[in-house]
Amino acid sequence: MRLSRYFMPTLREAPSDAQIVSHQLMLRAGMIRQEAAGIYAWLPLGLKVLKKIEQIVREEMDRAGAVELLMPTLQLADLWRESGRYDDYGEEMLRIKDRHDRDLLYGPTAEEVITDIFRAYVKSYKDLPKNLYNIQWKFRDERRPRFGVMRGREFLMKDAYSFDIDEAAARRAYNRMFLAYLNIYSRLGLQAIPVRADTGPIGGDLSHEFIILAETGESEVFAHRDLVEMGAPGPDIDWDGDLEPLVQQRTRLYAASDEMHDAARFEAEGPRTNA
Amino acid sequence: MRLSRYFMPTLREAPSDAQIVSHQLMLRAGMIRQEAAGIYAWLPLGLKVLKKIEQIVREEMDRAGAVELLMPTLQLADLWRESGRYDDYGEEMLRIKDRHDRDLLYGPTAEEVITDIFRAYVKSYKDLPKNLYNIQWKFRDERRPRFGVMRGREFLMKDAYSFDIDEAAARRAYNRMFLAYLNIYSRLGLQAIPVRADTGPIGGDLSHEFIILAETGESEVFAHRDLVEMGAPGPDIDWDGDLEPLVQQRTRLYAASDEMHDAARFEAEGPRTNA
């Protein structure tokens, strides 16, 4: 490729509405361009980076035993009516009518679709466990998109869904994903802190967020220093073995963001990082 | 990957609404699943094939000097109002309103977006030529989706857009794409016949369709036998040189589908294939 044919439109100055440095630099380096609020085109250089990240995520999902498929961006509203989440989801869901006046939506997540696929084919407990993931564009109609691609409306999401025979097996699947996420962040050069999280509208009773400490963050995070400094488990662990010790080593240390913070416990439990 | 963890749900019998053999076999092999009319999930095996095709297309586009970027699936209606195509496009365009009542649409094609990107950055004729492409999901609300993924509504499309300094340069860009398409089909194991085509709602005055002869096709095709049997040019041609002879060699031979067929010329011009 001749450089003269390449397309990397750098800017001398970032547009004034770019508040955080990552957004400013991505614009100035010609990586992204805003097409509408929270909707971006990935220019050639940005796309190269996006694809590298996507490939790291894919490799670590595969290593942890998940299987890739691809669900469409548009979904039938009827599936969400069946699950009872259609009316609950609120204004973040982009609702669409097609030419035959059928209700569609741009998937903000895909529990309904993957469960419909699963029930169509899987007829025996012998087919379990299954962990199915996809890397696909999602849309969430954020009231206030901001920080460039950090908080966009149309965004590329990796979402994995596991199906297991009982709670213990589900916990094993969870552990695999928990450790795979740490390895992904590590390969991206980021130190991620697993923080117990509210499950939100997705539901369920076990959830972690993986938080990167940054000046521009919007949450306060309280965490034990040993957890902040702990490395990722690495790829060479026994993915089919007992991962509980590796997970416990991390989850028994205090970590919470402000909405789930317990100040008394935090004070009692030793060396800490407060960012 | 253990086979027991993989997900390849084969079917003994194809659903009765699958009319053509490719659709039947893709369903039976567990490659795709219909989620709504003309909207498919790509199951693991199908996704592997889709990604291999995507990669062949990418490599041949790159070889021919095109540069990949990625435009979003959703576009602003205002861009289409500016070009005058918003009202023209008709019911195939999926029109959407977001939470702030702003008009969006699911891109059926991307001339407006790429032109907006181009005009934002390219300020000098010295930056030409540029050929920018993307491989992204599109949506066209076909009245009657059919034949599985052959005529879907949500589909993965490679679309390339060239910007040139004059008509001769535009013709050179066209020639590169023309030959790249033949190489793509050849690598896919398909014999494609380039057929002069109506430009349709996209506009312009030069257009070819690349047609694969198939029993299940919906057009009649009339072509000189030498063209049907002619091989692809191969990757090792001089992409920066004069490609006109290679293109002429193919376009001077008669080829038309029924809507542009000229029976008298066809009869006059020698050995033919009528499929």
Side-chain angles (χ1 to χ4, degrees), chain B residues 235-253:
Chain B
D236 298 327
I237 58 181
D238 176 7
W239 291 97
D240 292 319
D242 181 12
L243 300 174
E244 191 68 24
L246 285 169
V247 173
Q248 287 284 341
Q249 189 187 358
R250 291 161 172 89
T251 53
R252 69 161 183 257
L253 294 171

Side-chain angles (χ1 to χ4, degrees), chain A residues 175-204:
Chain A
N175 286 347
R176 278 193 293 272
M177 290 296 103
F178 181 97
L179 297 171
Y181 271 58
L182 292 172
N183 284 341
I184 288 168
Y185 286 110
S186 171
R187 284 186 64 188
L188 296 176
L190 297 169
Q191 170 74 42
I193 308 172
V195 170
R196 188 123 185 169
D198 189 8
T199 57
I202 304 290

Side-chain angles (χ1 to χ4, degrees), chain A residues 2 4-6 9 33 42 44 68-70 73-74 98-99 106 116 130 141 143 153-154 240, chain B residues 4-6 9 33 42 44 68-70 73-74 98-99 106 116 121 130 141 143 153-154 240:
Chain A
R2 296 186 198 164
S4 64
R5 286 226 183 124
Y6 201 62
R33 171 174 157 80
W42 292 79
E68 187 177 11
L69 47 66
L70 187 63
T73 63
L74 298 189
D98 74 8
R99 70 188 291 165
Y106 200 121
D116 187 51
K130 285 278 175 280
D141 204 351
R143 179 189 301 275
R153 295 197 294 170
E154 182 172 327
D240 292 319
Chain B
S4 65
R5 286 224 184 126
Y6 201 63
R33 173 177 157 77
W42 291 79
E68 187 177 10
L69 47 66
L70 186 63
T73 63
L74 298 190
D98 73 7
R99 69 187 294 164
Y106 200 121
D116 187 52
Y121 297 116
K130 286 278 175 279
D141 205 352
R143 180 189 299 275
R153 295 196 293 171
E154 182 172 326
D240 292 319

Side-chain angles (χ1 to χ4, degrees), chain B residues 91-234:
Chain B
E91 287 201 280
E92 271 194 23
M93 178 184 278
L94 191 67
R95 294 171 162 88
I96 305 171
K97 276 192 189 295
D98 73 7
R99 69 187 294 164
H100 298 301
D101 225 31
R102 184 127 199 211
D103 289 322
L104 301 172
L105 55 97
Y106 200 121
T109 180
E111 285 82 9
E112 277 75 2
V113 175
I114 199 69
T115 304
D116 187 52
I117 290 172
F118 181 82
R119 72 176 169 186
Y121 297 116
V122 177
K123 302 296 182 193
S124 165
Y125 70 92
K126 292 178 193 154
D127 294 328
L128 299 174
K130 286 278 175 279
N131 189 341
L132 305 172
Y133 77 99
N134 81 165
I135 300 175
Q136 177 61 296
W137 294 91
K138 305 288 191 296
F139 195 92
R140 293 180 187 172
D141 205 352
E142 297 266 352
R143 180 189 299 275
R144 202 166 64 85
R146 56 197 183 281
F147 307 150
V149 295
M150 287 282 288
R151 193 105 191 195
R153 295 196 293 171
E154 182 172 326
F155 60 99
L156 190 59
M157 181 163 111
K158 189 287 297 171
D159 36 325
Y161 306 88
S162 66
F163 298 87
D164 296 281
I165 198 162
D166 57 19
E167 198 175 329
R171 167 74 68 156
R172 287 195 290 275
Y174 189 88
N175 286 347
R176 277 194 292 272
M177 290 296 102
F178 182 97
L179 297 172
Y181 271 58
L182 291 172
N183 284 342
I184 288 169
Y185 286 111
S186 171
R187 285 186 64 187
L188 296 176
L190 297 169
Q191 170 74 43
I193 308 173
V195 171
R196 187 119 185 173
D198 188 10
T199 58
I202 305 291
D205 64 0
L206 182 56
S207 176
H208 285 85
E209 297 179 322
F210 293 81
I211 285 186
I212 312 295
L213 298 182
E215 292 299 325
T216 51
E218 293 189 305
S219 302
E220 248 189 315
V221 180
F222 304 84
H224 195 291
R225 183 165 297 128
D226 291 354
L227 180 61
V228 176
E229 291 166 359
M230 194 177 297

